[in-house]
Amino acid sequence: MRTPPTNNLDDEQIRGIAATGGVICVNCFPGFLAADPAERTVARVVDHIEHVASVAGTAHVGLGPDFVREVISEVTPPCCEDFGIEGIDPLEALPGLEGPAGLPLVTAELIRRGHPEKDVEAVLGGNVHRLFRAELGRPR
């Protein structure tokens, strides 16, 4: 079994980002979620959301799905189609979460696990919007 890429943040990095008011956006790219393809599920995405929230607090968690399949298929020349990201097929997708239309599955899993509506809304975009509003209001 292949080890997943090392792009994931450790708990100290997560706490550091939260300490500056930042938001850690959980990625939905299958190869970043688990080494075992059978564990690459929407439930695993929510496991990652819950872990970040347990370390940094819900106010510092967002969603960064990185739906790249559409972009790659539209902009990659035929000569360059055989490439990977850290050895992972960039066209791989989570079952049901192949694109934005699948995002309600993340919402449903968060709700199924008992997360309050305000926390679900924060994770699904509210925290990132808050961060953007704060940054836009800062003098340059």
Side-chain angles (χ1 to χ4, degrees), residues 129-140:
H129 285 153
R130 183 192 76 247
L131 180 64
F132 286 169
R133 284 190 305 270
E135 288 300 313
L136 288 172
R138 289 188 184 183
R140 302 284 174 220

Side-chain angles (χ1 to χ4, degrees), residues 17 21-27 57-65 118-137:
I17 293 167
V23 175
I24 298 94
C25 291
V26 173
N27 194 291
T58 303
H60 300 285
V61 186
L63 195 59
K118 69 176 185 54
D119 290 351
V120 173
E121 290 174 354
V123 168
L124 296 179
N127 291 333
V128 172
H129 285 153
R130 183 192 76 247
L131 180 64
F132 286 169
R133 284 190 305 270
E135 288 300 313
L136 288 172

Side-chain angles (χ1 to χ4, degrees), residues 15-115:
R15 282 189 285 277
I17 293 167
T20 65
V23 175
I24 298 94
C25 291
V26 173
N27 194 291
C28 299
F29 195 59
F32 293 164
L33 294 172
D36 182 352
E39 294 177 13
R40 297 173 183 175
T41 63
V42 171
R44 185 71 170 167
V45 172
V46 175
D47 290 345
H48 282 247
I49 290 169
E50 289 177 333
H51 176 77
V52 174
S54 75
V55 174
T58 303
H60 300 285
V61 186
L63 195 59
D66 279 357
F67 296 124
V68 298
R69 287 168 36 139
E70 296 89 354
V71 174
I72 290 171
S73 66
E74 293 293 324
V75 302
T76 304
C79 65
C80 304
E81 289 176 348
D82 187 25
F83 66 96
I85 299 170
E86 296 187 42
I88 298 169
D89 179 359
L91 301 178
E92 181 182 2
L94 292 177
L97 196 56
E98 292 86 2
L103 287 172
L105 295 173
V106 177
T107 305
E109 182 65 14
L110 287 164
I111 291 169
R112 188 189 70 73
R113 293 185 187 197
H115 292 278

